[in-house]
């Protein structure tokens, strides 16, 4: 369109035309941003689920069950009334627990637990237990312990966390659930005793919680308590 033709268009029509173009552009930009945001959110959620599943598989081997652990979960709150002595888990916030099943029958459970008395703060852990109450694995999820000392509770820093494997209330005397400095069976770290002491205590308390709630834990999931 020539300059002359553009000038022949009434002013109101020209404004409406430009407004329509701007509106169309804004709509397209908003749609594009929404698509990008949705795609990013889906990738983040997929990565979160993959990381969560990796942690679960580390404490309870995939070969031991045939169900989807992420779907077979429920929430344990710090003051869960449906469980006895919920305080034994040391939870400061509601966290997910998981039940492993084989052919529909519960064969194990993964519990969240916290050790609030770490050297630099709370230590968040996961513990896997088979139906008999024997530990299948323990992993550290979060902590703020001293690098080079207390961080040996991480598997990538030390294999110390593996010393809990196959332990249970039945095969380890209650008096031995301590670090060696306190007369127990578990090693402390050179220059760091508070951190391993806190973790050993938290794991022992988790065993006591499981022993007191074994039936309730399995029935809780059987009744379809996946939030």
């Amino acid at each position: 369109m020539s300059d002359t033709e553009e000038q022949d268009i009434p002013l109101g029509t020209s404004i409406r035309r430009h407004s329509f173009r701007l509106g169309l552009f804004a709509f397209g930009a908003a749609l594009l941003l929404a698509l990008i945001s949705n795609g990013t959110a889906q990738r983040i959620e997929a990565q979160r689920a993959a990381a969560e599943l990796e942690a679960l598989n580390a404490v309870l081997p995939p070969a031991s069950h045939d169900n989807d652990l992420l779907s077979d979960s429920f929430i344990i709150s710090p003051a869960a009334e449906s469980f006895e002595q919920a305080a034994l888990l040391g939870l400061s916030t509601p966290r997910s627990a998981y039940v492993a099943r084989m052919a529909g029958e519960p064969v194990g459970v993964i519990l969240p637990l916290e050790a609030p008395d770490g050297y630099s703060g709370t230590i968040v852990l996961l513990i896997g237990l088979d139906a008999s109450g024997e530990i299948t694995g323990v992993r550290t999820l979060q902590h703020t312990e001293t690098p080079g000392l207390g961080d040996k509770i991480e598997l990538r820093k030390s294999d110390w966390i593996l010393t809990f494997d196959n332990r249970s209330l039945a095969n380890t005397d209650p008096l031995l659930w301590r670090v060696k400095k306190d007369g127990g069976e578990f090693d402390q770290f050179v220059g760091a005793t508070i951190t391993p002491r806190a973790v050993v205590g938290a794991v022992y308390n988790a065993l006591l919680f499981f022993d007191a709630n074994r039936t309730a834990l399995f029935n809780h999931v059987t009744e379809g308590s996946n939030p």
Side-chain angles (χ1 to χ4, degrees):
M1 181 179 294
S2 68
D3 292 342
T4 301
E5 291 172 329
E6 179 71 28
Q7 292 172 357
D8 290 339
I9 298 175
L11 180 59
T13 301
S14 178
I15 292 176
R16 285 194 297 272
R17 182 177 297 174
H18 286 298
S19 297
F20 175 76
R21 290 172 180 171
L22 287 173
L24 188 61
F25 175 79
F27 174 78
L31 180 60
L32 180 60
L33 287 174
L35 291 173
I36 292 174
S37 177
N38 183 59
T40 301
Q42 289 179 342
R43 286 195 298 273
I44 291 175
E45 174 58 23
Q47 292 171 353
R48 185 205 62 76
E52 182 179 3
L53 184 59
E54 182 179 0
L56 299 182
N57 288 338
V59 299
L60 198 64
S64 67
H65 60 90
D66 60 8
N67 65 317
D68 177 10
L69 293 176
L70 296 180
S71 298
D72 223 340
S73 65
F74 59 96
I75 298 295
I76 297 182
S77 63
E81 295 182 357
S82 55
F83 298 109
E84 297 181 21
Q85 305 178 65
L88 285 169
L89 294 179
L91 300 179
S92 60
T93 186
R95 295 186 183 276
S96 294
Y98 311 81
V99 165
R101 297 188 290 179
M102 182 67 74
E105 293 298 318
V107 294
V109 66
I110 297 174
L111 297 174
L113 61 150
E114 296 180 19
D117 49 353
Y119 180 76
S120 298
T122 297
I123 301 168
V124 182
L125 304 138
L126 273 184
I127 182 171
L129 299 155
D130 67 18
S132 71
E134 189 170 289
I135 295 174
T136 56
V138 177
R139 291 295 184 275
T140 303
L141 297 182
Q142 301 172 27
H143 74 88
T144 55
E145 301 302 277
T146 307
L149 294 174
D151 63 353
K152 291 178 182 177
I153 56 175
E154 296 179 42
L155 183 58
R156 64 189 182 91
K157 298 292 183 66
S158 166
D159 62 359
W160 178 84
I161 202 76
L162 300 179
T163 59
F164 295 110
D165 291 2
N166 305 314
R167 297 268 188 174
S168 69
L169 295 179
N171 64 27
T172 303
D173 188 278
L175 294 177
L176 298 179
W177 283 95
R178 306 172 182 175
V179 295
K180 290 180 178 178
K181 184 177 181 179
D182 299 332
E185 283 193 348
F186 297 88
D187 290 332
Q188 59 264 4
F189 307 146
V190 176
T193 301
I194 294 176
T195 302
R197 181 184 287 145
V199 173
V200 171
V203 170
Y204 177 64
N205 283 341
L207 288 177
L208 294 177
F209 174 83
F210 177 79
D211 190 56
N213 295 279
R214 189 188 318 250
T215 300
L217 285 166
F218 290 146
N219 287 346
H220 199 74
V221 173
T222 301
E223 292 171 1
S225 299
N226 184 24

